[in-house]
Amino acid sequence: MGIVRQLRQISADEAGVDIAFRADVHAGLSQRQKAIPARWFYDATGSALFEDITALPEYYPTRSETGLLKRHAGDMAAAIGPGRAVVELGSGSSTKTPLLLAAIDPAAYVPVDISGDFLRDSADALAARFPGLPIYPVEADFTQKVALPREICPIPKLGFFPGSTIGNMVARTAIDLLRGWRATLGDGSLMLIGIDRIKDVGVLTRAYDDPAGVTAAFNLNLLERINRELGGTIPVENFAHRAVWNDVHARIEMHLAAACDMEFTVDGCRYHMAKGETIHSENSHKYGPRDANLLLCAGGWTPVATWDDVDPAFALILAEATEFRSAP
């Protein structure tokens, strides 16, 4: 059956610029600690760079998660059961998705991604590999409310949230997202989610600051995107990539650090940065087993099975939609 149709749920202005992107950039550059949400990394260039990152020897999450899917596919299929519509949050190039789809005999596949180009390419590739599977690509920001295709409404659903992307969000935002998708996927739904564990700081920092500079290029592309899409005059050459461990919040932080005092404009608005000042561009929170379970429960999901990789530590957790209760 292949790809049935593609839904687009991105709001753009007359020039084709994502309205939410513009708003987040201006809001972020106006803060005392400048910050731009990590979801804006993923234009076509950023998405391609991230795929390069996943192949780096220092970047273990993709390798660990792929290994878990391969080794435990049978157990996952038994726990999930056949006939579910798989809804993947932030599908990207969907490199791990075929392992899951081949194991569980799904009724449909719905990739949700903010990058339309990558979404179309990955959907085409999966349609060729699974010709009998209905595929409904949705171009949307999965951190916002997403309307699922009407064709899958009566089908029980499996949310697939790989890559430890939940770690990009502070706890309150992660819980809001989990609650939102609990409501969207509905009663009887399951969620298979990738969670990166706390581990040696050296392993973590190398994964986010590789010697080849691919992660640095990925981070700096955020500034290039602002210049391309918002008429920015940011001197990208005057910024440097920084990745640091924040032990209080159990997270790797990525920053873009100013090498000198500078002024620049975005959409005609003028901004100033002092030497050493940074734009906080990404968090990647790491969770111990109890932390991850508590996060999921707070978001309306009850963990029912966990598959762990030991070295480096990484987990895939299967959780079921929890019935909302007004009392403990």
Side-chain angles (χ1 to χ4, degrees), residues 260-281:
C260 59
D261 293 350
M262 68 182 81
E263 287 191 352
F264 54 85
T265 60
V266 176
D267 263 348
C269 297
R270 186 168 297 278
Y271 297 98
H272 171 81
M273 291 187 67
K275 180 179 180 180
E277 191 178 358
T278 71
I279 301 171
H280 189 170
S281 55

Side-chain angles (χ1 to χ4, degrees), residues 224-247:
E224 298 279 9
R225 180 179 184 183
I226 293 170
N227 284 348
R228 285 193 299 267
E229 297 186 22
L230 300 178
T233 61
I234 301 172
V236 179
E237 67 278 6
N238 291 338
F239 283 86
H241 166 69
R242 296 283 182 269
V244 295
W245 172 251
N246 183 326
D247 196 59

